[in-house]
Amino acid sequence: MSAPSSRRRRTALVVGAIAALTVSLTAACGSGDAATGTGDKLPTSADGTPNLKGTTIRIVTGAAPAIEDTKIALVAQVLKSWGADATIVNQTGDPSAIRVLLAGDADIGTLAVSSSINSGLKIFGPSQPRLDYHFIGAPSLSSMKDLPGHVYGTSNVHGVEALMFADLLAKNNIDPKAVTTTVAGGASVRVSAMLTHHIDATFAHATDVSKLTSAGFHDLVTMSKTAPELADSFLATSPQWLASHGALAVAIDQAWIKAAQIFNTDKDQWVKAAVAYAKADEKEASSTYDALKAADTFPASKDAYSEASAKVQEDLANKVGAITKAPATSVWVDTATWDKATAAMKIN
């Protein structure tokens, strides 16, 4: 059974909890005192990895288990291999995920910038640092410059799609008033609307691009290349949790880096994890991997997370009315955690 194609946290359809993955990881937990996650240091195992024995890490995400989100499942698996009791709590949409987090039923979440700011949370690392969207145009549109006078379909006017669209319009000097915007539903619904010519342009996930281009539509923009500074989501938590679990937060960022390294170097392991997490067909998981890899969606590099990137997204969110306030980045962005994690993992 394959995962829903409209999988992102804004459009997920199923609520569930993660099943244990059977991914093979070699990092082992050594002996030593149980880690508490507080303070600046954690004990380490014989292989130099964090010793997380005795810790519990609950990660909430606003989407049903889906192939594209396999990396966050790998993060949980890495944390388990380091001794933590790590689980993922799947919810339907960011609002539900935030309620779980604020209620204390999760420790961290994978959330969009606007959700984090509006909820008073603090981001401390990447979740999906590159967008897996393409901007697709009807056969009559050969470039972004042809967009004025046509109908753009979206699932929302305040979420990630709204930020991406505002960014594209600005970069191409297009007046927003020159384009008709209509709410056309989730990803799969918009693909159908394109094929039936009810809308002229939309954002499609990388896995849906071939369905449209094979029907004569044009792949106008690859967002991960045109706007590498924009992210789909970040790791976020409450300022209080981050203040009292600083060392554990560093370990979580280290686990993210390890998961990104697995993605970029071991397709078989990622596909096996996708089949386990999303209950996906192996062939579908393989083709999805190829699309995500081509778009460089999970770079295992220092620039996968930065204050500058977060600020760009805050400005866009403010522009489209996705946030109710625009605080200084110091209020909602933590970079010290990421700096320590990348140093520990020797990531440039």
Side-chain angles (χ1 to χ4, degrees), residues 10-32:
R10 267 64 65 184
T11 55
L13 302 177
V14 181
V15 177
I18 183 175
L21 294 177
T22 57
V23 180
S24 174
L25 291 170
T26 57
C29 178
S31 60

Side-chain angles (χ1 to χ4, degrees), residues 31-304:
S31 60
D33 295 334
T36 64
T38 60
D40 294 326
K41 290 199 169 215
L42 286 172
T44 56
S45 300
D47 61 2
T49 59
N51 179 354
L52 301 182
K53 185 178 180 181
T55 64
T56 297
I57 305 169
R58 300 161 299 172
I59 309 169
V60 64
T61 182
I67 301 173
E68 296 86 346
D69 289 332
T70 297
K71 189 179 50 52
I72 202 64
L74 279 176
V75 170
Q77 191 64 22
V78 172
L79 290 168
K80 286 180 183 179
S81 77
W82 292 347
D85 177 11
T87 56
I88 294 179
V89 181
N90 295 95
Q91 294 292 297
T92 305
D94 271 11
S96 295
I98 289 166
R99 284 194 291 272
V100 169
L101 188 59
L102 295 180
D105 294 323
D107 304 299
I108 66 171
T110 64
L111 300 166
V113 156
S114 54
S115 300
S116 299
I117 293 175
N118 287 337
S119 305
L121 301 175
K122 201 158 194 172
I123 63 173
F124 64 92
S127 174
Q128 185 179 320
R130 300 285 185 272
L131 298 162
D132 71 334
Y133 288 94
H134 290 235
F135 192 72
I136 308 295
S140 60
L141 303 180
S142 59
S143 74
M144 282 294 298
K145 299 299 183 184
D146 298 327
L147 188 59
H150 290 83
V151 178
Y152 156 68
T154 182
S155 66
N156 63 75
V157 295
H158 293 300
V160 171
E161 287 169 42
L163 271 62
M164 291 191 292
F165 193 54
D167 184 64
L168 281 186
L169 293 182
K171 285 178 176 174
N172 288 278
N173 297 311
I174 297 174
D175 184 348
K177 295 178 182 177
V179 182
T180 300
T181 297
T182 183
V183 176
S188 60
V189 175
R190 297 198 310 278
V191 169
S192 297
M194 288 286 284
L195 292 171
T196 54
H197 300 282
H198 285 92
I199 56 177
D200 302 314
T202 196
F203 287 105
H205 291 301
T207 49
D208 291 326
V209 171
S210 63
K211 298 176 189 175
L212 294 166
T213 55
S214 62
F217 293 82
H218 293 142
D219 184 1
L220 302 179
V221 178
T222 300
M223 289 304 298
S224 62
K225 294 180 173 145
T226 298
E229 73 278 10
L230 298 185
D232 178 271
S233 53
F234 295 88
L235 294 176
T237 188
S238 70
Q240 295 79 13
W241 189 92
L242 189 60
S244 60
H245 295 79
L248 186 54
V250 172
I252 293 169
D253 275 350
Q254 288 181 256
W256 186 94
I257 294 168
K258 177 65 177 175
Q261 290 172 335
I262 291 171
F263 171 82
N264 284 287
T265 61
D266 195 338
K267 176 179 178 179
D268 289 342
Q269 186 169 343
W270 190 92
V271 168
K272 288 177 183 177
V275 170
Y277 175 62
K279 303 298 184 288
D281 173 79
E282 186 172 338
K283 183 177 179 181
E284 183 184 3
S286 178
S287 63
T288 300
Y289 173 90
D290 291 339
L292 295 174
K293 185 71 160 57
D296 191 25
T297 50
F298 304 129
S301 59
K302 174 83 170 177
D303 65 1

Side-chain angles (χ1 to χ4, degrees), residues 269-341:
Q269 186 169 343
W270 190 92
V271 168
K272 288 177 183 177
V275 170
Y277 175 62
K279 303 298 184 288
D281 173 79
E282 186 172 338
K283 183 177 179 181
E284 183 184 3
S286 178
S287 63
T288 300
Y289 173 90
D290 291 339
L292 295 174
K293 185 71 160 57
D296 191 25
T297 50
F298 304 129
S301 59
K302 174 83 170 177
D303 65 1
Y305 175 77
S306 71
E307 183 177 0
S309 172
K311 176 59 177 170
V312 168
Q313 295 195 226
E314 180 187 41
D315 291 342
L316 286 170
N318 194 35
K319 182 177 181 179
V320 302
I323 55 178
T324 56
K325 55 189 175 184
T329 51
S330 59
V331 173
W332 63 280
V333 178
D334 168 73
T335 56
T337 299
W338 179 247
D339 289 342
K340 291 177 182 177

